[in-house]
Structures are given as structure tokens and as C-alpha cells.
């Protein structure tokens, strides 16, 4: 009996130590300065080991030095290449449709290095070729929905929730760059 109590306390302390080390993953991050405004949004999911990880990322980037605005997408390397449509959903209904052209990105010469290899795409509005137009429209939609929205493709659904303050900080950064 005494042995079981010891084992229980050891397991309890070990599980507490592991949970104390784990930090919650952010659902969004910002990088804001006088040259650029960037808002990253992460879709979180559980992997096969029951750990939470980001499996899909959206980056809204306004680079004032080069006068560019675009929306970049990033996901695991196994994602299929080619064109894919994404519907922006609000209250269960599609509001706008965007298109992405997925490509493989190998950040290292070693193709088996999955930590630097992933699939990427730029988002454009359906029927358009302008990344700027997609950026402006997506920023407006996200602002209207206060940072809570869904993207649906033919086979996947992604929900996004921005951290408190990130949307306001990003919009302020964009406004400040326009007035300069």
C-alpha cells in the first residue's frame, strides 16, 4: 500500500512539472514597426501525439518599404500543390471567396528537413490577380468580425481567433503608415 502511494505521488509531481513547463500556443502574433505591419494567425489542432500545434498559418503583411500588401498562407509540406479556393465564412454563410496557388517550399537543401519545408501560397480574390486587393478585403472582413472568422476549403475548415489587442494594434499600424 505504501508503495502505491509513493508511485502515485511521483506520477502526480511528474505530471505537474510537465504541465507547468507547457505554455499555451498563441492564436495570433504581431510584428509592428515603422517599415512594416504583420499579423500572423494560427489554426491550432492536436497532432497524433495529442499535442496542440499550429497546422495552418495566415500572415497579413504590409511592407511599406516596398509598398506591398499581401496575404501569405503556410501549412505542412504534405499539403497538395495547385489551386484551391477558400471561402470566408460568417455565421455559417460564405461571404467572400479567395484563391491560393500552393507550392512546396524547401528552406534547406536537404529535402527531408521537414522543420524548414512546408507548403506556401499567396491569397488573391477569386477572379483577380491582385494580392493587394485580397489583403485589403481580408483585413476589412476580419475587422468587421472582430478577429473571429472561419476559412473553408473543399476538404478543410479553419477557425481563427485573434489574441486580445492584436487586431487593434495591427489596424493602428496600418493607419499610421497611411498618414506618414
Amino acid at each position: 500500500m505504501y508503495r502505491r502511494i509513493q508511485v502515485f505521488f511521483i506520477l502526480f509531481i511528474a505530471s505537474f512539472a510537465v504541465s507547468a513547463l507547457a505554455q499555451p500556443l498563441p492564436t495570433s502574433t504581431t510584428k509592428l514597426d515603422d517599415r512594416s505591419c504583420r499579423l500572423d494567425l494560427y489554426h491550432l489542432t492536436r497532432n497524433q501525439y495529442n499535442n496542440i500545434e499550429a497546422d495552418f498559418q495566415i500572415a497579413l503583411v504590409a511592407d511599406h518599404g516596398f509598398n506591398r500588401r499581401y496575404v501569405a498562407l503556410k501549412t505542412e509540406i504534405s499539403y497538395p500543390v495547385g489551386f484551391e479556393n477558400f471561402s470566408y465564412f460568417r455565421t455559417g454563410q460564405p461571404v467572400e471567396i479567395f484563391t491560393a496557388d500552393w507550392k512546396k517550399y524547401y528552406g534547406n537543401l536537404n529535402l527531408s528537413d521537414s522543420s524548414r519545408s512546408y507548403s506556401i501560397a499567396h491569397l488573391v480574390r477569386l477572379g483577380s490577380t491582385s494580392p493587394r486587393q485580397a489583403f485589403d478585403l481580408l483585413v476589412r472582413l476580419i475587422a468587421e468580425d472582430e478577429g473571429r472568422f472561419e476559412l473553408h476549403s473543399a476538404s478543410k475548415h479553419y477557425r481563427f481567433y485573434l489574441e486580445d489587442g492584436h487586431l487593434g494594434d495591427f489596424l493602428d499600424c496600418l493607419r499610421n503608415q497611411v498618414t506618414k
Side-chain angles (χ1 to χ4, degrees):
M1 177 72 172
Y2 180 69
R3 185 78 169 150
R4 279 192 233 168
I5 292 173
Q6 280 182 323
V7 170
F8 172 77
F9 280 117
I10 290 171
L11 290 174
F12 176 76
I13 290 170
S15 68
F16 181 74
V18 169
S19 66
L21 295 175
Q23 295 292 322
L25 293 174
T27 56
S28 65
T29 57
T30 58
K31 182 180 173 237
L32 312 169
D33 56 42
D34 53 347
R35 288 199 47 111
S36 66
C37 306
R38 179 178 174 137
L39 174 64
D40 289 281
L41 302 102
Y42 306 96
H43 177 262
L44 303 178
T45 187
R46 289 196 183 274
N47 64 17
Q48 68 265 24
Y49 306 110
N50 210 25
N51 296 324
I52 296 176
E53 66 182 8
D55 72 332
F56 192 83
Q57 178 182 350
I58 300 174
L60 299 156
V61 181
D63 185 342
H64 308 296
F66 293 103
N67 195 24
R68 295 184 304 171
R69 294 190 307 264
Y70 60 92
V71 180
L73 306 177
K74 176 179 152 183
T75 191
E76 71 271 355
I77 191 70
S78 62
Y79 206 84
V81 296
F83 288 96
E84 180 177 31
N85 289 338
F86 287 93
S87 299
Y88 183 99
F89 267 68
R90 177 186 292 152
T91 63
Q93 298 296 317
V95 175
E96 189 62 56
I97 300 175
F98 299 93
T99 299
D101 184 10
W102 289 100
K103 295 174 178 22
K104 304 290 183 197
Y105 173 78
Y106 300 99
N108 192 349
L109 293 178
N110 180 3
L111 297 181
S112 66
D113 184 2
S114 62
S115 65
R116 292 189 177 178
S117 302
Y118 37 85
S119 297
I120 59 171
H122 277 102
L123 209 58
V124 295
R125 192 172 182 189
L126 186 65
S128 174
T129 58
S130 171
R132 219 176 241 261
Q133 186 183 37
F135 174 90
D136 293 341
L137 179 58
L138 193 58
V139 166
R140 182 178 57 82
L141 291 171
I142 292 171
E144 288 173 2
D145 292 332
E146 298 175 355
R148 301 186 187 306
F149 67 98
E150 293 182 42
L151 285 183
H152 292 208
S153 69
S155 60
K156 300 228 181 192
H157 304 295
Y158 303 101
R159 285 193 177 132
F160 296 94
Y161 306 94
L162 276 69
E163 300 279 332
D164 287 339
H166 284 178
L167 181 60
D169 293 345
F170 179 70
L171 294 174
D172 287 344
C173 181
L174 292 176
R175 279 189 284 270
N176 289 339
Q177 294 306 320
V178 170
T179 60
K180 287 185 177 182

